[in-house]
Amino acid sequence: MTTIENTRKRAENDAKTNGYYLASDQELLKDLLEGLHKNEQRYGYPSCPCRLASGKLELDRDIICPCDYRDPDVNDYGQCYCGLYVTKEIYDKKKSAKPIPERRPLEKQGRAYTISTEQTAESAKTAIKKTPEIQTKLWYCKQCGYVCFREDPPYVCPICKAKREMFAELDVTTQVREKIS
Amino acid sequence: MQTVKVAGKNNKHHVLLYAISTCGWCKRAKKFLNENEIEYEYIDVDLCSSEDRNKIRQDIQTRGGPLAYPTVIIDNKILLTGAPQDKLREVLEL
Ligand code: SF4
């Protein structure tokens, strides 16, 4: 069971690795860390505190913190959507964090609404029917070889920081060889 | 829709807030309304039924707003995404 302290440590380490800072507004920071912690407890993964999650891992993968949209948002606005991760400039309060436009595509946002949150058998049935089809593929980074299995390639390679354009779909064919005994 | 009603001295306008219970900006919006003693009603979209979720989605989208929270709807006509305090002050005449 993770504690709120683990959530904080994880965010601090992640900020350090990427050269970001955590929100300097201590109240906002506390609220966001508590939100992440609560989501981890109720969904089993720390989905973004400021976005509506479906509660289904495969539909929420892009908004698990740090979300897919963090790096391009920090790049364009100096902060992530929630304002948890910021640049040094914003951290030093030369600018203050503010709500920024949502970069997550609308069709992905819609997934949190089609999923039923009720546990009754009837609604679970309709929820399954309504669950959107997701096509997961293998992607590899042409720069460093990192491979991931997901719907879209990441905006930034988590290993070598190459941009999304460096990712290509990996076509794999598996062959089952018969054992010669 | 199951909203929570918060009493306040200032009830000049009808204020409806769509929020997410874990969101820092939504908490800030609630705090702002409380501190200014505004009467309002809110609903945490992550905690409500799927039926209400869809009603909220429809309501925001027919008003032309993005599906982002907090969203404040004032007097059933003005939609403010992100609940910017300067705009809120202006519309609520604070
Ligand atoms: S917007 Fe910020 S806090 Fe929210 S998931 Fe992305 S990185 Fe985490």
Side-chain angles (χ1 to χ4, degrees):
Chain A
M1 183 66 80
T2 57
T3 63
I4 186 109
E5 262 322 295
N6 295 135
T7 310
R8 180 186 287 270
K9 284 256 153 59
R10 206 168 47 205
E12 278 171 359
N13 286 339
D14 204 79
K16 215 182 264 169
T17 316
N18 289 284
Y20 299 151
Y21 289 77
L22 295 185
S24 53
D25 178 333
Q26 291 304 306
E27 195 183 320
L28 181 72
L29 178 61
K30 186 173 155 274
D31 285 344
L32 292 172
L33 292 172
E34 276 172 11
L36 274 173
H37 183 61
K38 184 174 169 201
N39 281 349
E40 191 160 6
Q41 285 184 317
R42 65 176 164 173
Y43 302 131
Y45 46 88
S47 79
C48 183
C50 305
R51 291 182 169 108
L52 189 63
S54 70
K56 290 195 124 209
L57 176 68
E58 62 275 30
L59 302 183
D60 294 338
R61 188 156 287 159
D62 60 318
I63 53 164
I64 295 177
C65 191
C67 63
D68 280 15
Y69 314 102
R70 179 188 67 175
D71 296 335
D73 278 340
V74 175
N75 200 22
D76 291 356
Y77 303 101
Q79 62 167 96
C80 69
Y81 182 68
C82 295
L84 175 64
Y85 291 98
V86 298
T87 53
K88 184 166 190 326
E89 196 185 8
I90 289 192
Y91 180 81
D92 289 343
K93 284 243 172 88
K94 281 177 210 131
K95 277 159 122 199
S96 63
K98 55 181 189 308
I100 59 166
E102 171 63 295
R103 186 184 295 269
R104 190 182 194 212
L106 193 63
E107 76 271 8
K108 289 195 182 178
Q109 293 174 40
R111 291 170 180 173
Y113 297 85
T114 43
I115 291 298
S116 172
T117 45
E118 280 112 80
Q119 293 303 312
T120 62
E122 208 30 60
S123 61
K125 251 188 254 160
T126 47
I128 290 165
K129 253 189 261 151
K130 283 191 204 154
T131 304
E133 278 280 317
I134 301 184
Q135 287 266 336
T136 17
K137 299 173 192 153
L138 276 170
W139 300 94
Y140 78 102
C141 171
K142 289 190 269 182
Q143 188 162 288
C144 73
Y146 165 75
V147 177
C148 56
F149 183 60
R150 39 186 283 160
E151 203 179 354
D152 319 296
Y155 278 89
V156 179
C157 172
I159 306 298
C160 73
K161 309 290 173 222
K163 293 225 171 93
R164 175 173 258 188
E165 295 76 62
M166 285 306 276
F167 276 85
E169 209 184 315
L170 197 59
D171 215 351
V172 221
T173 9
T174 35
Q175 261 183 6
V176 185
R177 281 194 210 159
E178 267 182 53
K179 261 197 198 161
I180 309 160
S181 54
Chain B
M1 224 186 307
Q2 285 283 321
T3 59
V4 180
K5 298 198 169 48
V6 183
K9 276 192 210 143
N10 184 341
N11 57 2
K12 263 193 276 177
H13 298 273
H14 177 258
V15 181
L16 170 65
L17 167 68
Y18 291 140
I20 292 180
S21 70
T22 49
C23 158
W25 300 99
C26 302
K27 278 195 188 143
R28 196 165 274 201
K30 287 175 189 167
K31 195 173 156 203
F32 176 84
L33 295 172
N34 292 338
E35 279 174 359
N36 287 284
E37 300 181 75
I38 309 283
E39 184 164 300
Y40 67 102
E41 50 184 314
Y42 75 87
I43 181 161
D44 286 325
V45 191
D46 57 319
L47 303 177
C48 71
S49 69
S50 58
E51 200 185 312
D52 279 354
R53 262 191 197 198
N54 277 305
K55 276 190 202 150
I56 293 163
R57 168 193 168 128
Q58 233 170 26
D59 188 28
I60 295 177
Q61 289 189 320
T62 45
R63 291 171 199 271
L67 286 176
Y69 304 94
T71 285
V72 186
I73 294 161
I74 298 160
D75 295 329
N76 201 16
K77 53 173 196 261
I78 302 167
L79 180 142
L80 295 175
T81 309
Q85 296 193 358
D86 50 340
K87 281 272 163 52
L88 280 175
R89 274 184 207 286
E90 193 185 308
V91 184
L92 297 172
E93 304 162 83
L94 300 175

